[in-house]
Amino acid sequence: MILFAVEKDGKRGIINQREEEIIPYIYDHVYSFSEGLALVGKDGKYGYIDKTGKEVIPRIYDSARDFCEGLAQVGKDGKYGHIDKTGKEVIPRIYDSARDFCEGLAQVGKDGKYGHIDKTGKEIAPCIYDGVGIFREGLAQVMKDGKYGYIDKTGKEIAPCMYDDARYFREGLARVKKDDKYGYIDKTGKEIA
């Protein structure tokens, strides 16, 4: 059954394709279902409901995101972490920023530096970078002192931070820029062209 988030009289709810009310119009925010749960917000607090409208994770968070790879990023009192679909805090809210999981890893930030964690909360790449990208094809961009490089899923740098610009890997190659010249590197960090 297809469900739609809709608004009526300034409040949001969910209807089905026959326009039957599934979730009453009581929320300030209702997002689409993701992995079986929908993010809802009311009075500045966020939680999650199932397709029957039952609030399965209470609205206690100041911010939250959709579930991705079984976990959702949540924030409260200026700190961020991740919960599972039962509401259990899997990744403690100890980070200044956190993103969705992609390829099993998520970007996190502490004290103005960034790294990656796995789904157990283990820091795969410690928060030592000025910036980090999401993983694509098993590799992610990292930035130190205005220069870009790449790490693998173990946190090992496969290309040092020496590029002026770096793009995501696609079909085994990534476009990089160094000294106003563009080229490509492979997944071992070897410059191809």
Side-chain angles (χ1 to χ4, degrees):
M1 177 177 288
I2 300 172
L3 301 175
F4 304 94
V6 291
E7 184 175 336
K8 180 180 177 182
D9 300 325
K11 293 292 181 183
R12 295 175 188 247
I14 294 180
I15 61 172
N16 64 19
Q17 63 235 26
R18 294 187 295 273
E19 297 186 15
E20 298 167 331
E21 185 178 291
I22 304 299
I23 310 299
Y25 297 92
I26 60 171
Y27 295 104
D28 299 326
H29 304 281
V30 174
Y31 299 89
S32 298
F33 281 91
S34 174
E35 298 186 11
L37 298 176
L39 173 61
V40 294
K42 185 177 178 182
D43 301 326
K45 296 293 180 183
Y46 294 86
Y48 298 85
I49 60 173
D50 65 16
K51 290 187 178 184
T52 69
K54 179 182 175 193
E55 196 170 274
V56 295
I57 299 172
R59 287 180 293 104
I60 60 171
Y61 298 103
D62 301 330
S63 68
R65 295 176 57 89
D66 287 337
F67 275 87
C68 185
E69 295 187 14
L71 298 174
Q73 179 256 63
V74 293
K76 189 175 181 183
D77 301 324
K79 294 295 181 181
Y80 299 88
H82 293 81
I83 59 172
D84 67 15
K85 292 182 188 176
T86 68
K88 178 183 172 197
E89 197 171 90
V90 177
I91 312 295
R93 286 182 294 104
I94 60 171
Y95 294 100
D96 300 329
S97 66
R99 292 293 196 204
D100 296 333
F101 278 87
C102 183
E103 292 190 16
L105 300 169
Q107 303 154 289
V108 292
K110 266 189 198 174
D111 302 322
K113 296 292 182 179
Y114 301 89
H116 290 93
I117 58 170
D118 69 14
K119 289 184 179 183
T120 69
K122 178 182 175 192
E123 286 190 0
I124 299 305
C127 293
I128 60 171
Y129 296 100
D130 300 328
V132 294
I134 63 171
F135 277 85
R136 295 269 173 94
E137 296 187 18
L139 300 168
Q141 304 115 310
V142 292
M143 184 179 72
K144 274 187 194 173
D145 302 321
K147 299 290 185 179
Y148 294 88
Y150 293 89
I151 60 171
D152 66 15
K153 287 187 172 187
T154 68
K156 177 184 170 195
E157 282 190 10
I158 62 107
C161 294
M162 63 182 200
Y163 296 103
D164 301 318
D165 190 25
R167 303 297 173 162
Y168 293 115
F169 272 85
R170 290 184 189 180
E171 297 182 21
L173 297 175
R175 188 175 120 180
V176 292
K177 178 183 176 187
K178 184 176 170 187
D179 301 326
D180 289 325
K181 294 180 183 173
Y182 290 93
Y184 289 87
I185 62 170
D186 68 14
K187 289 185 173 189
T188 67
K190 180 181 174 188
E191 293 183 359
I192 302 300

